[in-house]
Amino acid sequence: MKEAAVLPMLLKQLRLPTMSRLWKEMNTEAVEQGWTPTRYLKALCEHELSDRDNRKLARYMAESQLPRGKTLETFDFRAIPSLNKSRITAFASGDVWIKSGKNLLIFGPSGVGKTHLAAAIGEKLVEAGYRVLFSRTTEVVQKLQVAKRECNLVSALEKLNKYDCLILDDMGYVQKDQTETSVLFELISERYENKSLLITCNQTFDEWDKIFMDKAMTIAAVDRLVHHATILELNVESYRKRAALKATKLQKEEVEQNQRASSLTSAAGNADPASDVLEEEANQAHV
Ligand code: ADP
Ligand code: MG
């Protein structure tokens, strides 16, 4: 049939890969079930749209560079009692803050779960259909410095605007002594009241003059970041350290248990019937 030969080409030209893949078998089903042409076309369109969403999600997830396995499902909220789970879940849906280009700043010492939480929120944002990029702050700074040297800073900053949320992990590791950090200030200014930043940092604002070139730039950067921001402070003991201590304690308990078990076994092996009698007597005396 001529139509049947032409249709795959037309669907390909129209960039409808799912319809191209399914039209034939669904046509058979439609004939068998007595579907109207409208129902058949609607079913094909629905498959195309659903596959398109899945492909988009997979693309956004791949481009996000989020670390694997750091999800809200694996985040133990009991470790940080001050953190409200439903508030974090609301953040992860993104609607209010991402749509209005607000920021989220997560502070706390090393090992408390800042990166895990940021990545987990990022993953949920991608699932909600937002575009996210996760990066160490030092890497972004290096790339922007290269762009600046090549007189491409404006277009490099504009390229980052396609991301609804830019996660800058470990802002505190950027040091002005090693690098020229005005590009970081340019990035913050570019996104101000425009696109969201999610920043993790182990240094409080009063130490940020180690990051930026001078005091005025530090004040201006902090000002822009906090103007429309939520700040989460994770001031607990390092999760890593607690996990290591727990593991050491468990190991110690296991060793002690093994030692007890082996001393009991050897005592049983050397058992002297007389000592049993003595023990029995002692027990009776105690009763
Ligand atoms: P930070 O970025 O604050 O230095 P990380 O997010 O890298 O800390 O956390 C250190 C390790 O501990 C990671 O493997 C992380 O997955 C884990 N971790 C930290 N906090 C939690 C938590 N509340 N629940 C589950 N895992 C956690
Ligand atoms: Mg971290």
Side-chain angles (χ1 to χ4, degrees), residues 72 77 84-98 104 121 124-125 128 130:
L72 276 191
F77 281 89
N84 183 320
K85 187 175 177 180
S86 41
R87 193 165 171 231
I88 298 300
T89 312
F91 264 108
S93 77
D95 290 344
V96 182
W97 69 291
I98 297 283
L104 180 59
I121 292 173
K124 287 278 177 281
L125 290 176
Y130 294 108

Side-chain angles (χ1 to χ4, degrees), residues 57-241:
L57 188 67
R59 221 174 39 244
Y60 285 6
M61 203 54 96
E63 75 175 6
S64 70
Q65 293 174 30
L66 284 162
R68 297 279 149 239
K70 306 297 173 192
T71 63
L72 276 191
E73 288 73 24
T74 57
F75 192 80
D76 179 7
F77 281 89
R78 287 167 307 177
I80 310 178
S82 62
L83 211 58
N84 183 320
K85 187 175 177 180
S86 41
R87 193 165 171 231
I88 298 300
T89 312
F91 264 108
S93 77
D95 290 344
V96 182
W97 69 291
I98 297 283
K99 275 187 186 148
S100 46
K102 292 181 180 169
N103 302 324
L104 180 59
L105 314 177
I106 306 179
F107 288 97
S110 177
V112 292
K114 300 181 299 296
T115 301
H116 189 137
L117 193 59
I121 292 173
E123 189 203 46
K124 287 278 177 281
L125 290 176
V126 173
E127 283 171 8
Y130 294 108
R131 290 182 82 172
V132 172
L133 180 66
F134 177 100
S135 179
R136 288 172 158 275
T137 317
T138 43
E139 272 172 37
V140 171
V141 166
Q142 274 165 17
K143 282 182 189 157
L144 291 177
Q145 283 167 341
V146 171
K148 188 175 181 184
R149 275 198 296 275
E150 293 169 357
C151 299
N152 269 334
L153 184 60
V154 173
S155 89
L157 291 171
E158 272 169 14
K159 267 191 198 144
L160 290 174
N161 275 342
K162 73 179 175 198
Y163 297 107
D164 302 295
C165 180
L166 181 58
I167 302 177
L168 298 179
D169 194 32
D170 281 330
M171 174 97 125
Y173 289 171
V174 178
Q175 295 284 315
K176 68 177 173 193
D177 336 341
Q178 294 152 17
T179 52
E180 190 268 290
T181 55
S182 69
V183 289
L184 185 56
F185 175 72
E186 297 287 340
L187 175 64
I188 291 168
S189 302
E190 173 71 24
R191 291 185 80 86
Y192 175 59
E193 294 192 323
N194 174 26
K195 297 277 177 169
S196 296
L197 283 170
L198 196 173
I199 289 173
T200 76
C201 191
N202 57 2
Q203 291 174 343
T204 47
F205 290 129
D206 48 3
E207 292 174 78
W208 278 28
D209 50 5
K210 289 185 196 140
I211 300 175
F212 294 98
M213 308 295 282
D214 55 48
K215 192 131 199 107
M217 195 182 274
T218 308
I219 293 170
V222 172
D223 228 35
R224 281 165 176 73
L225 280 178
V226 301
H227 187 195
H228 306 289
T230 300
I231 297 174
L232 300 177
E233 287 189 58
L234 312 187
N235 282 325
V236 288
E237 206 185 338
S238 161
Y239 191 88
R240 258 193 294 253
K241 196 168 144 197

Side-chain angles (χ1 to χ4, degrees), residues 251-262:
Q251 252 173 8
K252 216 172 131 195
E253 279 172 6
E254 204 182 315
V255 170
E256 281 168 4
Q257 223 168 18
N258 287 342
Q259 278 171 347
R260 265 201 305 273
S262 69

